[in-house]
Amino acid sequence: MCGIIGHVGDSDAIDTLITGLENLEYRGYDSAGVAVQNGSGIAIQKRSGRVSELKESIEDRPLKGRVGIGHTRWSTHGPPTDENAHPHTNSTTDVAVVHNGIIENYAELKARLERKGHEFTSDTDTEVIPHLIQQYLDEGVENETAFRRAIDELEGSYAVAVMVSGEHALYAARRGSPLVVGVEDDEFFLASDVPAFLEYTDEVVYLEDGDVAIVRPDGVEFTDLGGNPVSRDLETVNWDPEQTGKGEYDHFMLKEIFEQPTSLAQAIEGRTDPETEAVHLEGFGPGTFDGVETVQLIACGTSYHAALYGSLVLNQAGIPSRALLANEYSVCAPPVDEETLVVAVSQSGETADTLSALREATAEGAQTLTVTNVMGSTAAREADDSLLIRAGPEIGVAATKTFSSQAVVLELLAHRLTCDVLGTSPFDLESFLPELDRLPGRLEGLLESTDARAIARRYQGSQSYFFIGRGLGYPVALEGALKFKEITYEHAEGFASGELKHGPLALVTPETPVFAVFTGQEDEKTLKNAEEAQTRGAPVVAVCPDDHRATEVADAHLEIPPTNPELAGLLANVQLQLVSYHAADLLGRPIDKPRNLAKSVTVE
């Protein structure tokens, strides 16, 4: 949640800060602001609304400075107002702070500071930080010491960047929320996510929990909170800056839907050998998973649906597996031990609930593995092993290409696991692997011929939208409903198809189109369930190959190419993504910035 950008260098910071905020707006877009060292102190402009409105304000009242910080907000404490926008300052504007996360003891700190005469002007928890720093500065300590002492008092999660008037430096610290430093000759950048500054540099250093970074014009110093030096590697990010732009597309979401042939090809590349009927995952040689008896997959949102897809593949192979919501893991996690493999699935590798569940599993002695899109993310560093999905940067808040890449990588992981756990693979790799290699091409053909916009228009204005599937079609149905509600704001629900008759049929009317996913497994039962809704007046949209029997029964049809049943759901998913996109577009919704949502949920 929220986006931080910082700049230290010889060039003016404003353009860099605004560009960074525009690149980070998928993390929050309730309000935005910047602060710079302008030679006579700290100058600030901030306001509620989008970054574009802040940019217009700055064009009317220009700011200049070579050192600066910026922030785009997703509201937690306090509504999206000018006063609650970041950066926040102390009473004399000598300290400016931007912050992601939640300060759990802010009420206690605020009450203590108010007793000392500090006056607060916002509803945020962040505002205690500049006042804490001011309190220590008033006691006569140096800037760095005041920063460290203030940070040491904070409880909760945070990524913090601080400027102090008159000093050409940024002070930064993280615990539980991501921060990354970018390095390009004598220019330095600080951000909550790499896309913020990717067009300026691809050389980065990821901060770890407990790290402090002091960024000055002559370099960056990394220490722990006590001031002890720590060593952090400089890494090269292999993302193309053009991937973070919309290009010829109207929305990031549509661009990323159409990028799926490429992202899937990248996920598969070098990991399969159809000739020898083998799956090769880098870093996971024979024997890696010896001793594993059960698998738990933990995730949230779209990643949870991918995790459910993976768990069903594992169960079908004979390996006991469960997909669990990470935010419920601390409440109802099943027992784990050294024979349990816990797989954390997170696009960003920074999802707070997933990290919390991962740490709990580690503490209980489980083997851990992260499936993520971001090299160097917290989850990738904290798990025993990590497996990249290679989807490239995803900017649209509604996840699309990362779901399909997660599901494919989890399928490959399942095939690799069975060799160690069962001694042999029960999968028919002779038919599966060639079809997997053909998947990007089949998807490209689907994107060229889809009727999704016509379907979206046909059922526009319906009362509710139901999505059903069985087996591997079930997580696809859940994901289809999630996408629809995320960006259209219309009511949508996903069900295991057999559950329709156990309650949801009471909601079915002629104004409730039912999208039925057919994967080639248990299709007759799914068709029977769809017909049960149809007899109650509901129109049925069959998502299936052109020669499938469901096309004779359904009221409408979204075609998918014939393929292996393990892969059919991924093709169906793309058709449902397109239906959601076009339905939202017809309604005029802000597709890339759905209300109340942000891309990376870094607070619990």
Side-chain angles (χ1 to χ4, degrees):
M1 302 296 193
C2 305
I4 286 174
I5 180 67
H7 173 270
V8 176
D10 292 331
S11 61
D12 187 71
I14 286 296
D15 286 346
T16 303
L17 296 178
I18 292 298
T19 298
L21 292 180
E22 289 173 332
N23 291 343
L24 287 173
E25 205 166 12
Y26 60 90
R27 296 181 64 94
Y29 31 85
D30 292 340
S31 58
V34 295
V36 293
Q37 298 272 11
N38 67 357
S40 58
I42 295 176
I44 294 177
Q45 284 199 40
K46 61 179 185 175
R47 58 168 299 153
S48 60
R50 302 290 172 85
V51 173
S52 60
E53 296 172 80
L54 173 68
K55 186 176 181 179
E56 291 174 2
S57 176
I58 291 173
E59 288 172 353
D60 293 337
R61 294 182 294 140
L63 295 176
K64 286 186 179 294
R66 292 178 296 168
V67 177
I69 52 178
H71 188 271
T72 181
R73 182 172 184 248
W74 184 83
S75 302
T76 51
H77 289 83
T81 63
D82 292 353
E83 293 77 16
N84 289 336
H86 296 219
H88 288 284
T89 68
N90 62 336
S91 55
T92 58
T93 320
D94 291 324
V95 180
V97 175
V98 290
H99 160 240
N100 293 349
I102 294 178
I103 307 303
E104 294 175 357
N105 62 334
Y106 88 97
E108 170 192 331
L109 294 172
K110 182 176 180 179
R112 191 185 84 198
L113 290 162
E114 285 178 328
R115 289 194 294 270
K116 292 177 179 281
H118 291 258
E119 296 182 2
F120 289 79
T121 60
S122 79
D123 303 312
T124 70
D125 54 341
T126 302
E127 196 182 357
V128 300
I129 302 173
H131 285 275
L132 270 176
I133 295 172
Q134 177 189 354
Q135 183 66 38
Y136 286 116
L137 291 173
D138 290 345
E139 294 174 6
V141 304
E142 296 178 344
N143 294 348
E144 182 178 336
T145 302
F147 170 77
R148 291 183 186 277
R149 289 185 181 177
I151 296 300
D152 191 44
E153 291 204 54
L154 304 181
E155 297 176 6
S157 65
Y158 54 76
V160 176
V162 174
M163 288 195 313
V164 182
S165 180
E167 184 179 13
H168 282 244
L170 296 182
Y171 295 94
R174 71 154 283 177
R175 184 171 72 192
S177 288
L179 268 181
V180 58
V181 173
V183 179
E184 177 63 24
D185 296 330
D186 56 355
E187 299 283 324
F188 301 94
F189 309 88
L190 183 74
S192 46
D193 208 352
V194 171
F197 54 69
L198 190 57
E199 60 203 81
Y200 301 107
T201 183
D202 59 1
E203 299 292 309
V204 304
V205 179
Y206 294 98
L207 272 65
E208 299 186 13
D209 274 1
D211 282 359
V212 168
I214 304 173
V215 188
R216 296 188 173 95
D218 60 351
V220 187
E221 177 187 1
F222 299 97
T223 71
D224 62 17
L225 193 54
N228 303 303
V230 296
S231 177
R232 296 290 175 252
D233 294 333
L234 185 67
E235 302 182 29
T236 300
V237 178
N238 61 354
W239 289 349
D240 185 334
E242 291 187 5
Q243 290 179 282
T244 61
K246 284 189 289 190
E248 63 186 23
Y249 296 92
D250 291 335
H251 298 93
F252 280 111
M253 182 181 179
L254 187 62
K255 172 178 178 279
E256 288 157 2
I257 289 172
F258 273 79
E259 285 177 343
Q260 286 177 103
T262 299
S263 60
L264 284 173
Q266 291 170 173
I268 298 165
E269 185 180 4
R271 290 170 165 173
T272 66
D273 187 350
E275 290 187 6
T276 61
E277 299 178 19
V279 172
H280 305 290
L281 298 180
E282 64 279 11
F284 299 90
T288 300
F289 301 109
D290 284 351
V292 170
E293 293 192 356
T294 61
V295 179
Q296 297 175 8
L297 297 99
I298 51 176
C300 300
T302 288
S303 293
Y304 170 73
H305 298 154
L308 182 57
Y309 201 100
S311 74
L312 292 172
V313 173
L314 283 166
N315 283 324
Q316 288 176 358
I319 298 177
S321 175
R322 290 183 65 181
L324 300 154
L325 288 166
N327 38 49
E328 290 292 306
Y329 197 76
S330 62
V331 179
C332 57
V336 300
D337 55 28
E338 64 276 4
E339 295 172 336
T340 307
L341 175 66
V342 175
V343 181
V345 186
S346 169
Q347 185 281 134
S348 66
E350 303 291 349
T351 308
D353 292 316
T354 304
L355 288 173
S356 177
L358 177 64
R359 289 162 184 158
E360 184 166 334
T362 299
E364 294 296 321
Q367 301 177 52
T368 57
L369 168 66
T370 292
V371 174
T372 184
N373 195 34
V374 182
M375 176 182 65
S377 62
T378 301
R381 292 196 306 270
E382 292 192 7
D384 296 329
D385 294 292
S386 63
L387 188 55
L388 293 176
I389 66 171
R390 305 172 179 170
E394 185 178 68
I395 306 301
V397 170
T400 51
K401 65 178 181 177
T402 53
F403 172 82
S404 56
S405 293
Q406 284 172 335
V408 161
V409 168
L410 287 169
E411 285 205 69
L412 291 175
L413 177 63
H415 290 200
R416 179 66 198 80
L417 264 165
T418 58
C419 294
D420 285 349
V421 176
L422 303 176
T424 184
S425 176
F427 297 105
D428 181 7
L429 295 180
E430 183 178 3
S431 64
F432 173 79
L433 292 181
E435 281 300 307
L436 181 63
D437 280 352
R438 297 185 191 106
L439 184 63
R442 295 198 190 284
L443 181 50
E444 195 162 5
L446 182 156
L447 291 167
E448 292 172 355
S449 62
T450 179
D451 292 326
R453 188 170 183 85
I455 296 294
R457 187 182 297 278
R458 179 172 176 177
Y459 296 109
Q460 186 179 5
S462 296
Q463 185 178 38
S464 292
Y465 300 81
F466 283 3
F467 298 77
I468 64 171
R470 188 179 291 266
L472 292 176
Y474 172 46
V476 172
L478 294 178
E479 177 61 12
L482 177 61
K483 283 294 147 292
F484 203 91
K485 68 182 76 173
E486 275 183 315
I487 62 170
T488 69
Y489 310 157
E490 301 295 307
H491 180 253
E493 294 294 337
F495 305 99
S497 58
E499 283 296 296
L500 267 183
K501 57 185 174 291
H502 293 285
L505 270 178
L507 300 174
V508 165
T509 73
E511 295 299 314
T512 312
V514 175
F515 291 80
V517 176
F518 296 91
T519 65
Q521 294 178 333
E522 302 282 348
D523 280 359
E524 284 301 318
K525 291 182 179 179
T526 300
L527 183 56
K528 181 176 183 298
N529 299 139
E531 289 178 303
E532 289 167 351
Q534 195 178 47
T535 60
R536 274 79 177 175
V540 170
V541 181
V543 190
C544 62
D546 189 49
D547 60 355
H548 197 284
R549 198 176 81 78
T551 61
E552 301 170 8
V553 175
D555 301 276
H557 175 217
L558 282 167
E559 183 180 357
I560 62 172
T563 189
N564 186 285
E566 285 185 47
L567 302 172
L570 301 183
L571 295 167
N573 173 67
V574 175
Q575 286 284 29
L576 297 181
Q577 289 174 350
L578 288 163
V579 168
S580 297
Y581 171 81
H582 289 300
D585 192 41
L586 289 167
L587 289 165
R589 305 298 193 217
I591 290 171
D592 287 333
K593 299 170 185 176
R595 67 186 178 203
N596 304 329
L597 301 178
K599 183 68 176 173
S600 181
V601 184
T602 56
V603 294
E604 291 187 72

